[in-house]
Amino acid sequence: MKALITGITGQDGSYLAELLLEKGYEVFGMVRRSSTEPFDRIAHIKDKLNLIQADLLDQLSIMNLIEESKPDEVYNLAAQSFVPISWTQPVLTGEYDALGVTKILEAIRHIDKNIRFYQASSSEMFGKVAETPQRESTPFYPRSPYGVAKIYGHWITVNYRESYDMHASSGILFNHESPRRGLEFVTRKISRSVAKIKLGQQKKLKLGNLDSRRDWGFAGDYVKAMWMMLQQDKPDNFVIATGATHSVREFVEAAFGCVDLDYNDYVEVDQNLYRPAEVNLLQGDASHAREKLGWEPEITFKGLVEMMVKADLELLSGSANSS
């Protein structure tokens, strides 16, 4: 089996690449041309991967990418994935997260309709939620350009599935974190700051809305669901979530608790870090995935927080020693 992963250098892409290699796949990854190579997350498996340069903004490069890799499965994880940036770069977010999906689907349609396709949809599509918990049938009400663009990507996937009889599935993934999460995301900002404060490298941690609630899981668990979707006889949409919700405050409290510190002594709320339109509560119902895929999350919220803080402590302690 051959698989192509767009966004292979990201958090999810790196975990998915590991999983597919373990299953004996030949793994191809799409990488964008860059003056610096951001391969930190896949450095340990880079020699086992086939990396090809292409860009979601360039239809011809996507066509060439599919032609060259000849994959059985395509996992589209590439995106402008940081919600706050989508307000300052709304057009670019739409180009990647909406039209980029269409370019891949068009390439598959013209080259080989038997290729199975996975689209990374997002819980941010629910935004101002119509019901709790959110399931596949919950109406969308996005609260950011990112959420709007992701809805286009989601529905164009459904449209190609129904119009051209393509095996195209969409995973509506709720927040999933790991030690490989980007430093701009709040969970990694918290775990890294906690480690720095414990090591005496930082004094305070500034955060926005501490009362926002999210359904947080472990990225390594969630990529298994992606693979499971493409092994089904029929394509479908699947919510992937733990079903448990925690506030940013709870995440902060748990993270500081890992190093025996009281978060009240270090955390400051900064109104400038609030979103223009807040998403206050996201909580997923993954019963469809449990029933159809047999998927279950393995890492608990507490285990996830401890994993991230421990990893950042090790990373920062090592960099301090090396310097």
Side-chain angles (χ1 to χ4, degrees), residues 193-229:
S193 294
V194 166
K196 280 188 165 186
I197 288 169
K198 181 64 175 179
L199 295 170
Q201 300 172 9
Q202 184 174 321
K203 292 184 178 180
K204 295 289 182 180
L205 167 59
K206 290 186 177 182
L207 294 169
N209 187 2
L210 296 181
D211 297 318
S212 283
R213 302 187 69 85
R214 293 292 185 271
D215 185 329
W216 278 301
F218 172 51
D221 287 340
Y222 284 39
V223 299
K224 293 174 186 173
M226 299 176 187
W227 175 79
M228 288 174 169
M229 289 178 211

Side-chain angles (χ1 to χ4, degrees), residues 66-106:
I66 302 290
E67 289 274 19
E68 185 175 344
S69 57
K70 294 181 172 59
D72 299 289
E73 300 169 357
V74 172
Y75 297 85
N76 182 37
L77 310 185
Q80 191 300 99
S81 59
F82 189 45
V83 176
I85 289 295
S86 74
W87 275 286
T88 57
Q89 299 183 357
V91 176
L92 186 69
T93 300
E95 291 278 4
Y96 277 114
D97 299 6
L99 295 180
V101 186
T102 316
K103 290 186 175 80
I104 298 175
L105 287 166
E106 269 295 280

Side-chain angles (χ1 to χ4, degrees), residues 7 151 165 190 222 280:
I151 288 176
D165 194 28
I190 292 167
Y222 284 39
N280 294 315

Side-chain angles (χ1 to χ4, degrees), residues 82-85 87 183-186 189-190 193 202 204-212 214 248 252 266-280:
F82 189 45
V83 176
I85 289 295
W87 275 286
L183 295 174
E184 69 273 23
F185 290 89
V186 68
K189 179 181 178 181
I190 292 167
S193 294
Q202 184 174 321
K204 295 289 182 180
L205 167 59
K206 290 186 177 182
L207 294 169
N209 187 2
L210 296 181
D211 297 318
S212 283
R214 293 292 185 271
V248 174
V252 169
Y266 303 97
V267 173
E268 295 178 354
V269 173
D270 185 347
Q271 295 292 329
N272 293 322
L273 295 176
Y274 276 64
R275 294 182 181 181
E278 280 290 338
V279 174
N280 294 315

Side-chain angles (χ1 to χ4, degrees), residues 190 194 246-261 263 301-306 309:
I190 292 167
V194 166
H246 298 274
S247 66
V248 174
R249 190 185 307 277
E250 289 174 70
F251 196 106
V252 169
E253 187 174 12
F256 276 96
C258 291
V259 294
D260 300 317
L261 295 175
Y263 81 95
F301 172 75
K302 186 170 182 279
L304 173 65
V305 177
E306 289 177 351
V309 172

